[in-house]
Amino acid sequence: KVPVIGFIGDEAACRQAKEYNPSIFTGTVKYAKIRNKSIDYENADEILVNTVKESIKNYKSVQLYELEAPYTLDVTFYRTDMCEDVIELRGDIYERLDARTLRKRIDKIVRYDDLKL
């Protein structure tokens, strides 16, 4: 097990990380301007470095957040053809919930590929 002690990303992602684990260290380095476009803060590099330093220095203050198996990964695509492309590429490892949403059940996470679409 590897604990997650810090998270760096945009405003929404950092807010979500805090919802899951209020004790995690976060570094907001950018904000969304429009869909698929973000703007980095001028001091993003400094924020990133400071967040990593603080996370490591104070790692004992971060509570572990553990999920229990089985895990369910739901992915909703922007368009139906995107959903169908994944089904064609990966086969029937997904349950199709609707025209744009796939569900994958994961019994055990051994490597990153277990989470990939």
Side-chain angles (χ1 to χ4, degrees):
K1 295 180 184 181
V2 178
V4 177
I5 57 174
F7 185 88
I8 297 163
D10 71 4
E11 293 170 338
C14 289
R15 191 170 44 251
Q16 279 187 315
K18 285 282 195 185
E19 287 174 13
Y20 283 101
N21 188 346
S23 66
I24 195 171
F25 289 87
T26 59
T28 302
V29 294
K30 58 187 175 179
Y31 64 94
K33 183 170 180 158
I34 59 173
R35 186 177 188 275
N36 296 328
K37 175 115 173 122
S38 64
I39 305 295
D40 292 346
Y41 292 128
E42 286 186 26
N43 62 338
D45 291 343
E46 182 183 337
I47 294 168
L48 185 149
V49 169
N50 288 339
T51 302
V52 171
K53 284 180 179 178
E54 285 299 307
S55 300
I56 292 169
K57 182 176 152 186
N58 299 298
Y59 74 94
K60 289 183 180 181
S61 69
V62 179
Q63 296 175 352
L64 293 179
Y65 181 83
E66 292 189 45
L67 299 171
E68 293 187 24
Y71 312 102
T72 303
L73 175 64
D74 289 353
V75 180
T76 301
F77 295 90
Y78 180 64
R79 300 186 321 255
T80 58
D81 62 312
M82 295 172 161
C83 182
E84 290 161 1
D85 287 346
V86 171
I87 293 171
E88 186 176 325
L89 179 68
R90 300 291 298 220
D92 59 355
I93 64 170
Y94 296 96
E95 172 188 356
R96 191 166 189 172
L97 301 180
D98 59 37
R100 297 183 301 123
T101 307
L102 297 177
R103 173 172 285 164
K104 180 179 181 182
R105 180 189 162 111
I106 304 165
D107 293 316
K108 185 176 182 182
I109 300 172
V110 177
R111 56 194 180 135
Y112 175 74
D113 285 350
D114 295 334
L115 298 171
K116 284 177 33 178
L117 294 180

